[in-house]
Amino acid sequence: MVSAYGAGLEGGVTGVPCEFVVNTSSAGTGALAVTIDGPSKVKMDCKECSEGYKITYIPMAPGNYLISIKYGGPYHIVGSPFKAKITGSRLVRSHSMHETASVLVDPVSRSITTSQQEEPSDAGRVVAKGLGLTRAYVGQKNTFSVDCSKAGRNMLLVGVEGPRLPCEEIIVKHLGNRIYNVTYQLKEKGEYILVVKWGEDHIPGSPFHFSV
């Protein structure tokens, strides 16, 4: 019983507001959830109108955006998800390939909640601390911590290379809030290289060089 229409469901241009209407007039009371996934974050706005709700979003990078519209729970309306093709120039520097923005309308409290998941990865904001970055001992557990809480979303990659053999064991443990504890053990003396990357980029100080 819920329908959606408007040019914004089919396409648009970067930096220009795209609009569509979700018609809930004959569907009864229910929660509306709109999610837009695409190559950039979008600024999304939701306003009540006579037929239901008018959604406006501004894409910041060209590409395909998936617009999911759910009503009354986890149920897609007819036609959802819609695929909008956005053209124009890229207006953001973020290299993330996937960003999500969502809006939730609760009909009981009449509240509209929007969330922007804008977390571009920035390896320069990763902070590593601990003795294991500059000194290590044969046969002992050497440790250091890596704080990625301010560095956006990505994967932590750690590698240790020795004079003849690579590191026998590296344990990367996530402690929560993108803070990691790294433990490694070495079997031979010599010069080592420790690489710590956040995604494809070295964190500050990496690669680390030390003697064992």
Side-chain angles (χ1 to χ4, degrees):
M1 301 297 287
V2 179
S3 60
Y5 64 90
L9 292 174
E10 297 173 13
V13 180
T14 55
V16 178
C18 306
E19 288 185 356
F20 60 91
V21 171
V22 181
N23 187 336
T24 60
S25 58
S26 52
T29 304
L32 170 70
V34 180
T35 301
I36 300 178
D37 288 290
S40 83
K41 73 181 192 330
V42 299
K43 294 174 183 173
M44 186 159 45
D45 191 36
C46 176
K47 288 189 171 66
E48 288 188 67
C49 63
S50 57
E51 294 166 298
Y53 301 93
K54 179 187 277 190
I55 310 288
T56 306
Y57 69 95
I58 304 175
M60 304 303 282
N64 292 318
Y65 288 74
L66 215 56
I67 302 170
S68 298
I69 304 173
K70 296 178 182 180
Y71 194 76
Y75 312 108
H76 285 271
I77 71 166
V78 176
S80 175
F82 298 87
K83 192 174 186 180
K85 185 168 179 60
I86 303 298
T87 58
S89 57
R90 189 176 184 86
L91 303 176
V92 282
R93 287 187 178 179
S94 167
H95 294 298
S96 172
M97 299 308 290
H98 184 89
E99 299 283 357
T100 300
S102 55
V103 59
L104 179 66
V105 182
D106 182 349
V108 179
S109 62
R110 316 291 290 178
S111 66
I112 297 174
T113 309
T114 60
S115 77
Q116 307 280 351
Q117 291 178 341
E118 176 211 351
E119 295 189 284
S121 173
D122 184 358
R125 301 186 73 180
V126 175
V127 179
K129 294 178 181 175
L131 201 61
L133 292 169
T134 55
R135 191 178 302 167
Y137 299 92
V138 171
Q140 291 187 22
K141 287 187 176 180
N142 305 286
T143 64
F144 61 93
S145 66
V146 186
D147 185 346
C148 308
S149 59
K150 296 184 176 69
R153 289 180 63 176
N154 224 318
M155 288 187 295
L156 180 66
L157 305 171
V158 182
V160 182
E161 180 65 34
R164 288 185 303 125
L165 301 170
C167 180
E168 182 183 29
E169 181 182 68
I170 303 173
I171 299 171
V172 179
K173 188 173 179 65
H174 183 227
L175 306 177
N177 194 30
R178 295 193 195 123
I179 296 172
Y180 300 83
N181 190 63
V182 181
T183 306
Y184 64 93
Q185 268 187 293
L186 307 172
K187 277 191 165 180
E188 60 175 348
K189 294 179 182 179
E191 300 295 319
Y192 279 79
I193 299 171
L194 166 64
V195 169
V196 183
K197 287 186 172 184
W198 187 236
E200 296 181 3
D201 302 317
H202 285 276
I203 72 163
S206 177
F208 300 87
H209 297 264
F210 57 88
S211 296
V212 174

